[in-house]
Amino acid sequence: EKENEAWLEWSRNIALSLVEYMESNGLNRNGLAERLGVSPQYISKILSGSQFSFKSIAELEQKLNIKLLDVLELA
């Protein structure tokens, strides 16, 4: 259960980062979908936190030129 809570918190933070991106760029879901070349339904899934994989996060970061995921770097 704690593992699930951690994942929910993580996916919520990623979705909030995307909402902030949309607001700062004057985009709605349709505008973001158009910018990414995906359907508005896919954007809804992303914003609900149900459509995340490392690959999808990497694609979002690359296409939007933003950082959504910070990974601990060990020295």
Side-chain angles (χ1 to χ4, degrees):
E1 187 174 301
K2 284 193 179 241
E3 184 178 301
N4 193 35
E5 287 178 23
W7 171 250
L8 289 173
E9 177 75 20
W10 194 45
S11 64
R12 183 176 20 244
N13 288 336
I14 292 171
L16 287 173
S17 294
L18 286 172
V19 169
E20 289 174 11
Y21 175 87
M22 290 167 57
E23 289 174 353
S24 67
N25 288 278
L27 296 171
N28 59 20
R29 289 175 189 222
N30 290 337
L32 183 61
E34 187 175 309
R35 185 168 287 189
L36 292 171
V38 299
S39 71
Q41 293 82 4
Y42 181 73
I43 298 301
S44 293
K45 288 180 182 179
I46 289 173
L47 294 177
S48 73
S50 65
Q51 192 67 40
F52 289 125
S53 68
F54 288 119
K55 181 180 179 184
S56 65
I57 292 169
E59 288 173 351
L60 290 168
E61 287 184 336
Q62 183 180 24
K63 288 180 179 180
L64 299 176
N65 196 31
I66 60 174
K67 192 74 170 161
L68 294 170
L69 181 63
D70 289 324
V71 177
L72 177 65
E73 292 185 27
L74 301 176

